[in-house]
Amino acid sequence: MPRQFRSAAIAALLATAFASTGATAQEASSPAAAVNPLIGSSNGGNTFPGAMLPFGMLQWSPETTRGKHNHTAAPGGYLYSANRIRGFSLTHLSGTGCAGASGDMPFMPVTTAITTSPSLDDDDSRYASDFTHTDEHAEAGYYQVTLANGAKVQLSAAMHSGIASFGFPAGKPANLLIRSSDSEVGSSAADIHIDRASHSVTGSVTSGNFCGYLAKADQRSYYTLYFVAEFDQPFSSTGSWNDASVHAGSTSASGGTSYADKGFPPLGKGSGAWVGFAEGRTVQARVGISYVSLANARANLKAGIPHGTSLAQVRQRAHDRWDKALGHIAIDGGTPDQRSTFYTALYHVMMHPNVYSDVNGEYRGFDQQTHHLDRGQQAQYANFSGWDIYRSHLQLVTWLQPRIGSDIAQSLYHQAQQNHGEWDRWTHNSGGTHVMSGDPAVPALADILAFGGHDFDLRGAYDSLVKAATVTTANDLSDDGCNVECVGQRPSLDQWLKLHYIASKSHAWGGAGETLEDASADFALSELARRVGDHDGQQRFLTRAGYWRNLFNPNATPQGGYIQNRNADGSWPAFTPDTDDGFVEASAAVYLWMVPFDVHGLFDTLGGREKATARLDAFFHDKDGHWALTNAGPLHAELNNEPSVATPWLYDYAGQPWKAQEAVRIVVNTIWKNTPDGIPGNDDLGEMSSWYVWAALGMYPEIPGRAELVLGSPLFPHALVHGSGGDVRIDAPAASTSTPYISELTVNGKPHDQPWLSSQLVEHGGELHFSLGTAPNRQWGRAADSAPPSFPPPHA
């Protein structure tokens, strides 16, 4: 479809179908209007509801508290059940675990005099304020709340900057705290300066410490955030504090909180400042940030929200930016709740990674030096939860916005170049945190390439990844950070090269889990080798991908074999399928299925399709035959966390695709909801939300580094995907909550009896027409030669 007609076509598709559901005109034409940022803010989703742009540098959002100032209420800064706010910070990460991250420079309007140091407010009883959700409103690009102290807060955002309105009640002091040292997990340095003449405040904070409470390796700072705040009202008073000391009239302060016991900031430490205003005033603040310099923060503010810009203007621009981004997928039909759940999931997908370069093209590198964008690169990105987002997130981002995918790939390569050649698996701003396991940068780049992101230095990145996969480093042999944060890119690479597996005792989080992750990484590396024309490398790394077989013990249990830990001498330790010994955030029963590139090989190892199907049935059902898709114990699927997310689609390989259709739809219908607890576990920078988007479209990218899609069934009667290779129209007129089963499918007008789609759909676009029903068609997709492809190693 020609580009100039795409937006009109999407709007028309939405408007026509939404009219029959009673949706408003705005909802019909505006995907952004369907977004509910409060989805996932409770029950472990760890999302935040504040204001930002797609992939924006600034995320202005509330920090809630449960009465312990040095422990954030939730890792995203916001917990729906915590009804007290201690500030509105400029930066956040959505859906993380650990103890939080970022949450830099919280601003807090208070309506009392500042008589004691805010750093002594250990239980957030003095300078925080209660609120109720009836006094709160969140939408894409905008957040508003009226606090119990009488202050009304409104927030919106541009790419590198934000705008706030603080309305103070009459008859009470009007003070605004800026807690410069109080990032979510503390800081090693901070400073703040007030300029009364220009009605501005500037400062910086140096922080990091992501998951630092787990290991000394991450109890350190690795980024500095600079900010400038310009106000439209004069300051009637000023003051500052450092630790316990308060200085009324002061205009500067410095001092971080430090990282104390187990990495948490100690109570009573830190610095900040406040500015006072005339009682009853509504004050507007424009804030620019940069990770390079204060000068760049000023330039970012001037470019994004210049003087004279109103909050209403910024809010509308943010809404329009979200509309454009979310409009890459148009859906119709379904209930209002289903549409909100879908577009909020897509919204969460587009929150990370984040633009890290400034408007002048500068950014802070992993070597802590200032760098400039490459020619043709539009942005440097940061915040990459590799172990999570290689599974389905980067594929979706790149399919919808290949330029962004390409720049993410180039950004990862730059990080490695500036980090002594190491591709860290979980990067935060300008530092590596090493969190989780495996070598996810490899499938991440292969995913981006397969889904249309071609504008990055593929040859340079490939050569770097090959070196990392073949040359053992000191970090690969180090126990620093282990288990959760092992510092090596390829922990115990020496064992991989010699034993052809990672043993039970190693420098990795878990031997068996690391083996499976490395196998997937090497498969993806073979795909990158194919793309660059390295035939020998393709065969070499595909052979290495087959090393997963070295941990399959056919005699693990009387009921059948399992992938399990293995000792370096080749012997097998004691084993039960419910163990998590050797695995990462899941059991051996879950990890048995994590060979996504060689499913047929796995099934053969299990004794063939029938035996594999029987074991899948037992994995997905409890002893009474009920579906067991989450929270059913270690012997069953846990579709609230990454190790399980690809497993329902395995029925497509087993000749029973109707079971995949049913299982995926049950998950979509029950544990994803338009409610604060509507995400089943940490969203992990959008990975889990990307799973929902794929599932609702009726397809999934099962194989790391390839663009074949395995099939479920569409949730909505019609969808239009503006993809990197061309538009994809998905028609399923009978789609509803109760019609998960495919009876027939045509692809580009031709009958299609395979439960998967070739890469041609991603690469060139196409039209899918599903006939759906309430009863399974057990013959559709059943034939063995209809199953999705596998890519066994050369000797298998």
Side-chain angles (χ1 to χ4, degrees):
M1 184 179 292
R3 183 176 300 274
Q4 63 266 33
F5 297 126
R6 286 173 181 149
S7 296
I10 290 171
L13 174 62
L14 285 166
T16 299
F18 280 31
S20 65
T21 68
T24 67
Q26 182 185 30
E27 289 171 336
S29 60
S30 169
V35 171
N36 175 9
L38 290 169
I39 291 176
S41 62
S42 180
N43 195 36
N46 289 331
T47 60
F48 62 83
M52 66 177 295
L53 289 190
F55 309 103
M57 177 184 282
L58 179 141
Q59 311 89 29
W60 208 339
S61 189
E63 299 282 337
T64 60
T65 176
R66 290 185 289 185
K68 195 169 185 179
H69 188 74
N70 65 343
H71 285 64
T72 185
Y78 181 96
L79 181 66
Y80 189 83
S81 60
N83 62 352
R84 193 166 177 82
I85 290 175
R86 68 182 184 201
F88 299 87
S89 297
L90 302 178
T91 60
H92 290 83
L93 295 180
S94 180
T96 65
C98 287
S102 295
D104 302 307
M105 290 293 169
F107 287 55
M108 184 62 194
V110 296
T111 54
T112 61
I114 313 302
T115 57
T116 61
S117 170
S119 290
L120 297 180
D121 191 13
D122 294 352
D123 59 0
D124 289 324
S125 61
R126 180 171 179 83
Y127 295 115
S129 176
D130 290 344
F131 76 106
T132 66
H133 295 297
T134 58
D135 294 323
E136 179 184 46
H137 172 74
E139 64 186 52
Y142 176 78
Y143 177 85
Q144 172 190 318
V145 66
T146 299
L147 301 172
N149 68 14
K152 181 177 181 179
V153 180
Q154 299 181 74
L155 308 171
S156 193
M159 182 57 69
H160 305 83
S161 53
I163 190 168
S165 171
F166 301 103
F168 291 95
K172 293 183 177 181
N175 292 312
L176 185 68
L177 298 179
I178 305 178
R179 296 176 174 270
S180 49
S181 67
D182 289 12
S183 302
E184 281 185 9
V185 287
S187 60
S188 58
D191 67 88
I192 192 166
H193 305 276
I194 301 169
D195 186 334
R196 300 192 66 156
S198 63
H199 314 156
S200 66
V201 181
T202 59
S204 68
V205 61
T206 300
S207 186
N209 196 35
F210 180 55
C211 291
Y213 71 101
L214 292 175
K216 290 289 185 182
D218 276 340
Q219 291 175 20
R220 58 189 175 87
S221 292
Y222 43 75
Y223 73 89
T224 298
L225 177 80
Y226 301 86
F227 86 100
V228 55
E230 298 182 356
F231 296 86
D232 68 347
Q233 302 283 329
F235 304 146
S236 61
S237 61
T238 65
S240 69
W241 72 91
N242 180 271
D243 297 343
S245 301
V246 178
H247 308 283
S250 171
T251 57
S252 64
S254 62
T257 63
S258 75
Y259 311 128
D261 183 34
K262 293 187 177 180
F264 291 103
L267 293 169
K269 301 286 289 183
S271 64
W274 74 89
V275 290
F277 302 95
E279 293 180 4
R281 293 293 180 90
T282 295
V283 180
Q284 182 171 286
R286 298 177 301 112
V287 178
I289 63 172
S290 167
Y291 291 92
V292 174
S293 67
L294 180 58
N296 281 14
R298 293 185 188 278
N300 288 344
L301 176 59
K302 183 177 181 180
I305 309 178
H307 181 74
T309 305
S310 70
L311 190 147
Q313 288 174 313
V314 177
R315 178 183 180 183
Q316 184 61 52
R317 292 170 189 169
H319 175 92
D320 293 345
R321 287 287 294 271
W322 277 111
D323 252 358
K324 181 178 180 181
L326 298 171
H328 282 87
I329 303 179
I331 57 167
D332 74 359
T335 67
D337 280 344
Q338 287 172 330
R339 293 194 295 273
S340 283
T341 303
F342 179 86
Y343 276 119
T344 305
L346 188 56
Y347 165 85
H348 284 140
V349 167
M350 294 181 178
M351 293 174 78
H352 303 291
N354 303 103
V355 168
Y356 202 62
S357 50
D358 294 327
V359 293
N360 65 359
E362 292 182 340
Y363 67 93
R364 185 60 52 90
F366 269 43
D367 55 4
Q368 302 306 315
Q369 302 300 308
T370 299
H371 297 265
H372 198 278
L373 297 177
D374 290 340
R375 183 182 299 274
Q377 185 183 7
Q378 294 182 355
Q380 176 75 11
Y381 287 85
N383 301 329
F384 170 79
S385 58
W387 184 82
D388 307 294
I389 63 175
Y390 85 78
R391 300 169 198 268
S392 62
H393 174 276
L394 289 173
Q395 295 92 318
L396 184 60
V397 167
T398 307
W399 193 26
L400 301 181
Q401 301 192 60
R403 176 69 264 176
I404 290 177
S406 295
D407 280 352
I408 292 171
Q410 191 67 30
S411 299
L412 291 171
Y413 180 34
H414 285 326
Q415 290 178 354
Q417 289 175 304
Q418 299 152 11
N419 192 37
H420 312 290
E422 289 191 357
W423 299 65
D424 197 281
R425 65 183 65 85
W426 213 117
T427 69
H428 177 213
N429 292 333
S430 50
T433 72
H434 340 298
V435 170
M436 305 308 293
S437 67
D439 188 8
V442 187
L445 261 68
D447 292 339
I448 289 169
L449 192 63
F451 279 79
H454 301 143
D455 297 323
F456 67 96
D457 183 0
L458 171 58
R459 185 73 218 199
Y462 171 71
D463 289 344
S464 176
L465 288 167
V466 168
K467 182 177 181 181
T470 56
V471 179
T472 305
T473 68
N475 278 349
D476 295 335
L477 301 178
S478 172
D479 287 328
D480 288 351
C482 289
N483 283 337
V484 180
E485 306 163 28
C486 302
V487 297
Q489 178 179 337
R490 289 271 187 146
S492 288
L493 176 61
D494 59 323
Q495 291 185 351
W496 189 248
L497 299 176
K498 181 180 179 181
L499 301 177
H500 298 174
Y501 61 90
I502 307 300
S504 56
K505 293 184 178 180
S506 71
H507 305 292
W509 183 343
E514 195 79 20
T515 294
L516 293 175
E517 293 285 359
D518 283 353
S520 283
D522 278 348
F523 174 77
L525 197 51
S526 76
E527 284 295 299
L528 291 175
R530 179 177 65 85
R531 295 276 190 165
V532 302
D534 180 3
H535 178 73
D536 290 342
Q538 180 184 358
Q539 296 301 105
R540 177 187 185 187
F541 292 112
L542 185 57
T543 297
R544 286 176 28 159
Y547 289 174
W548 67 267
R549 295 171 179 269
N550 295 326
L551 289 193
F552 184 83
N553 180 0
N555 303 311
T557 72
Q559 292 74 36
Y562 277 90
I563 292 168
Q564 66 166 94
N565 255 355
R566 192 171 194 175
N567 298 324
D569 64 6
S571 62
W572 301 101
F575 172 81
T576 56
D578 61 352
T579 185
D580 63 0
D581 186 25
F583 300 96
V584 175
E585 293 191 353
S587 67
V590 168
Y591 270 83
L592 171 64
W593 307 106
M594 213 179 79
V595 191
F597 55 89
D598 191 12
V599 176
H600 294 313
L602 174 63
F603 283 8
D604 290 343
T605 302
L606 295 176
R609 282 211 311 180
E610 290 187 8
K611 289 186 177 180
T613 301
R615 293 187 62 170
L616 275 174
D617 289 342
F619 181 63
F620 285 118
H621 296 82
D622 63 22
K623 60 183 177 61
D624 297 320
H626 301 125
W627 284 98
L629 299 174
T630 190
N631 297 324
L635 295 178
H636 301 288
E638 291 288 356
L639 291 175
N640 56 1
N641 201 16
E642 281 75 13
S644 278
V645 293
T647 52
W649 314 88
L650 296 181
Y651 280 116
D652 285 343
Y653 293 81
Q656 298 187 12
W658 61 272
K659 289 183 179 177
Q661 299 153 24
E662 183 179 15
V664 171
R665 183 60 60 82
I666 290 172
V667 174
V668 166
N669 286 347
T670 59
I671 62 177
W672 288 84
K673 297 170 288 186
N674 182 22
T675 58
D677 64 348
I679 297 179
N682 288 351
D683 200 34
D684 291 319
L685 277 63
E687 165 53 32
M688 298 301 289
S689 285
S690 74
W691 185 94
Y692 179 89
V693 173
W694 284 112
L697 293 175
M699 55 190 68
Y700 188 75
E702 183 82 9
I703 308 170
R706 294 191 62 93
E708 289 86 358
L709 299 170
V710 293
L711 292 178
S713 60
L715 179 64
F716 298 98
H718 304 285
L720 180 63
V721 181
H722 172 25
S724 59
D727 287 349
V728 174
R729 182 177 291 275
I730 304 169
D731 292 322
S736 71
T737 299
S738 60
T739 57
Y741 301 110
I742 299 173
S743 58
E744 293 180 345
L745 170 64
T746 64
V747 177
N748 296 328
K750 298 180 180 180
H752 189 85
D753 192 35
Q754 298 175 325
W756 65 283
L757 303 168
S758 78
S759 61
Q760 294 296 305
L761 186 80
V762 169
E763 294 166 357
H764 302 292
E767 295 187 2
L768 310 177
H769 186 91
F770 291 84
S771 296
L772 302 181
T774 57
N777 177 354
R778 302 186 186 214
Q779 299 306 310
W780 185 86
R782 183 177 182 84
D785 59 2
S786 295
S790 276
F791 300 89
H795 66 275

